[in-house]
Amino acid sequence: MTPMRWQPDRSVATNPWPHPPLVTAIGRGLMGRCPACGEAHLFNGFLRVVTACQNCDAPLGLARADDAPSYFTILVTAHVVVPLLIIVDRMGQPPIWLMSSIFIPLTLVLAIGLLRPIKGGTVGLMLNLNMLKIDAAET
């Protein structure tokens, strides 16, 4: 009898939910839809992600975006506001109260307006790359 060499199972288990291309998943997340199917809503409030998609049962609640959406929002907002601030300042040096009355509301509107789409895109990226939380009980 010849010894049999053990070979590990290297096949990758496929997910039971749809797996769209990366750009499609991020785009669906940016629109606030399920990144997997694009049919159901992604959020159950302003920033609270639903636990699972109502249409395809993708475990959206296991994609923990944590602080990444806030960092990306700050990055985008700062790249819009700071150049505008410098340009307006160089054009004629308006008073501080005028600059504050323009750029503080602009910063707030951009940050609050971009936070939800950026979080959706981050969840879409994480779901597509299968970066899901392992234990569902760790909520």
Side-chain angles (χ1 to χ4, degrees):
M1 183 165 125
T2 61
M4 199 167 177
R5 185 173 173 167
W6 177 77
Q7 293 292 326
D9 182 20
R10 294 179 190 225
S11 62
V12 177
T14 59
N15 298 326
W17 58 86
H19 194 73
L22 180 66
V23 176
T24 304
I26 293 173
R28 288 175 179 169
L30 287 171
M31 292 187 300
R33 296 284 182 193
C34 170
C37 67
E39 299 294 322
H41 293 284
L42 179 61
F43 296 104
N44 187 17
F46 183 64
L47 289 177
R48 186 176 195 101
V49 178
V50 296
T51 54
C53 176
Q54 296 174 352
N55 189 35
C56 67
D57 291 328
L60 302 174
L62 296 181
R64 301 290 307 261
D66 294 333
D67 292 336
S70 350
Y71 294 133
F72 296 145
T73 302
I74 290 169
L75 181 75
V76 171
T77 303
H79 276 82
V80 171
V81 171
V82 171
L84 287 174
L85 186 73
I86 293 172
I87 289 170
V88 169
D89 185 55
R90 297 291 177 191
M91 286 177 61
Q93 295 180 346
I96 297 293
W97 66 268
L98 181 62
M99 296 278 282
S100 298
S101 65
I102 293 171
F103 288 105
I104 290 176
L106 176 66
T107 304
L108 288 173
V109 167
L110 277 175
I112 292 171
L114 289 174
L115 190 57
R116 185 174 173 160
I118 289 177
K119 183 168 183 172
T122 305
V123 169
L125 173 73
M126 294 177 74
L127 187 71
N128 192 279
L129 297 177
N130 207 20
M131 296 172 56
L132 304 175
K133 184 173 60 169
I134 305 275
D135 186 13
E138 289 182 14
T139 311

